[in-house]
Amino acid sequence: MKESREASSNFLATIINTDLESGKHDVVVTRFPPEPNGYLHIGHAKSISVNFGLAEQFGGRCNLRFDDTNPEKENQVYIDAIQDDVRWLGYQWNDEVLYASSYFHQLYEWAKWLINQGMAYVCDLSADEAREYRGTLTEPGRNSPYRERTTEENLALLEGMKAGKFDEGSRVLRARIDMASPNINMRDPILYRIRKLHHHQTGNEWCIYPTYDFAHGQEDAIEGITHSICTLEFEDHRPLYEWFLDNLPVPSRPRQYEFARLNVNYTITSKRRLKQLVESGTVSGWDDPRMPTISGMRRRGYTPGSIRTFCDMVGTNRSDGIVDVAMLEHCIRDDLNENAPRAMCVLNPLRLIITNIAEGHVEQVSAPIHPNREEMGQRSLPFSGELLIDRDDFREEANKKFKRLVLGKRVRLRNAYVIEADEVERDDNGEIAAVKCRLIENSLGQDPADGVKPKGVIHWVSAAQASRVEIRLYDRLFNHPAPDRTDEDMMVHINPDSLVTIDEAWLEGGLENVMPETVFQFEREGYFVADRYEYNAERRVFNRVIGLRDSWGEGK
Ligand code: ATP
Ligand code: MG
């Protein structure tokens, strides 16, 4: 696996390198061409990292071009969100943002050019008829009865289509290539459709819109793209991409290269399906922290660096595969383990009373902000006779495997003293309301003098100084490794426990004002980010980014 990954991660770089060395190109120009019909997801992050990454690596340029040829599903909201996402990932496109729609006039001129060459015609077959004429993978198609129209007639009809004289679906402009081609894409593909729709960029100027195939390569040529990198499903379109470039007076000659789409298990990478999750209210929006969108991952607490690392790690190759989501989780965990400041937060509180500390006494203990990075400094933790610990860290009785607090036994309070549990207090329902303990003298940073060592280490906060926070425990959105590849509806595979909220958790004193999007490791609990939108002075919401335990590579 490792070998193929290394070899393949270089295949586009190798091509570019050769083209630069041979003098075929002086500079590499790539583009990232999203259709603004949804938010970008982790698959797009891969494409961004390939296109911007190669331009960066070879000192070239990468354009951000909105592929806005299908106004029906497109929206300015998506245009804005996509730009935010690309910038947040740390990439800067060349010059202004570009739009396929700004080439509509040129494309129209080129459509007329093809008609004049006898290479395009207006076809009046209905969609059903056209399907019938197209043939199948094993049978050739048949020529449309409209294929022999004269140049004048075709030009007039195209003009009429543009002027809005005909109904949607009544006519299309087609290339005149070869209805018997083994490649179905070459069987007189459609160049223009009538769509009487308002366009977010061009308004009501057009009621015919070019197809992806007729637009993409020509846009690349106009922009001087040298390497037009797309995913494998466009491989069969490449002959058509080249046919247009061969037959039109384009200003430059781009080449298309394909690589395999990124698929991640337990994850959906289709805008259409992600949209379904949003529209059905299954998630709170495109940027719900459980969404594999770039904005969702950002809100979840992923860093741009972790996403870029992941995109590098999965490699760039030409064979389809499915990447384990644990690899993505590994990348963010690794980043945060290295960089996130530490803090203590008690999610399920139990009172702990230290009987040999005077009431009202508060002292400060010092703890590293990061255990392995001295340069990050120290934090000062208020310590007192009334603490909160996690309910799961205490048992009245337990066997030796339980390395936390047990009645009659000792435990170390992380960054502070050793304590010994003496008795429990119960409420009216018989539930444990508090644990009474004794502090072992002189045990700060050293073992107790009597030689009785603590069993383990637990986290805590000082009750009076801790501040209340709200916690959202996020987990994978789907509990099936291939939620969109089963016979059932993907909705049946939604993990019902993908969000568990805790209204009252208690964060160590001193962290009352953090900036939204700050990530901490809550020691022994996991990594948590102050929500980008909902963390504020009144309501302090933290999202769990990821737990501490890394499962990547297990079971292999
Ligand atoms: P979706 O299927 O989610 O709608 P798309 O391909 O239709 O995706 P576009 O906006 O057209 O979405 O994609 C922009 C670019 O991102 C294209 O070049 C496309 O090939 C690439 N891309 C989309 N999904 C992936 C993926 N899973 N892995 C790698 N590249 C991808
Ligand atoms: Mg697409």
Side-chain angles (χ1 to χ4, degrees), residues 336-402:
L336 296 177
N337 180 38
E338 186 72 21
N339 298 308
R342 273 39 176 180
M344 292 194 283
C345 185
V346 173
L347 270 50
N348 183 16
L350 171 64
R351 278 173 71 220
L352 192 112
I353 316 284
I354 304 178
T355 50
N356 56 344
I357 293 184
E359 222 182 293
H361 170 83
V362 183
E363 66 180 79
Q364 300 291 324
V365 295
S366 179
I369 290 175
H370 192 294
N372 311 325
R373 294 183 58 183
E374 232 176 274
E375 77 280 8
M376 287 173 78
Q378 296 280 313
R379 64 198 209 261
S380 176
L381 295 170
F383 181 85
S384 70
E386 189 172 342
L387 308 180
L388 300 173
I389 63 166
D390 198 285
R391 219 160 246 284
D392 294 338
D393 283 341
F394 173 74
R395 282 191 201 161
E396 290 178 84
E397 288 172 57
N399 64 22
K400 284 206 171 74
K401 282 194 201 139
F402 187 74

Side-chain angles (χ1 to χ4, degrees), residues 33 35 67 212 233-234 271:
E35 183 177 358
D67 176 17
Y212 172 89
E233 68 272 23
F234 292 103
K271 276 186 278 190

Side-chain angles (χ1 to χ4, degrees), residues 413-543:
L413 296 171
R414 178 134 180 100
N415 301 306
Y417 298 91
V418 174
I419 51 161
E420 187 168 321
D422 294 325
E423 56 178 307
V424 297
E425 271 182 9
R426 293 182 191 277
D427 63 17
D428 297 343
N429 302 321
E431 293 269 343
I432 297 174
V435 181
K436 289 192 166 177
C437 303
R438 241 171 328 112
L439 182 136
I440 309 299
E441 301 289 334
N442 297 321
S443 62
L444 186 65
Q446 57 189 20
D447 282 336
D450 62 9
V452 183
K453 288 190 183 172
K455 288 278 174 242
V457 183
I458 64 172
H459 62 285
W460 56 277
V461 293
S462 176
Q465 290 81 23
S467 61
R468 192 189 134 188
V469 296
E470 226 179 285
I471 300 276
R472 293 185 184 153
L473 297 174
Y474 288 107
D475 204 344
R476 292 174 186 170
L477 184 54
F478 291 101
N479 53 21
H480 191 287
D484 54 349
R485 277 170 244 128
T486 68
D487 295 338
E488 293 148 303
D489 189 288
M490 70 165 177
M491 293 297 181
V492 309
H493 303 301
I494 295 279
N495 172 9
D497 302 319
S498 63
L499 170 58
V500 174
T501 53
I502 298 176
D503 290 338
E504 274 193 22
W506 298 93
L507 181 60
E508 70 179 42
L511 296 176
E512 290 74 27
N513 300 302
V514 306
M515 294 290 287
E517 302 202 84
T518 310
V519 186
F520 291 94
Q521 183 194 93
F522 290 166
E523 295 184 80
R524 300 184 62 240
E525 292 289 359
Y527 296 96
F528 293 77
V529 63
D531 190 87
R532 185 178 173 196
Y533 301 115
E534 289 176 31
Y535 180 97
N536 54 53
E538 284 78 51
R539 205 160 153 230
R540 300 171 58 213
V541 177
F542 279 91
N543 303 327

Side-chain angles (χ1 to χ4, degrees), residues 207-247:
C207 63
I208 56 172
Y209 290 97
T211 53
Y212 172 89
D213 282 326
F214 185 57
H216 206 85
Q218 284 75 284
E219 293 156 14
D220 287 342
I222 293 169
E223 291 177 12
I225 302 299
T226 54
H227 300 78
S228 178
I229 299 160
C230 60
T231 35
L232 279 175
E233 68 272 23
F234 292 103
E235 187 171 15
D236 290 346
H237 294 242
R238 188 173 356 118
L240 182 55
Y241 181 99
E242 293 187 340
W243 188 88
F244 289 124
L245 299 179
D246 283 341
N247 290 296

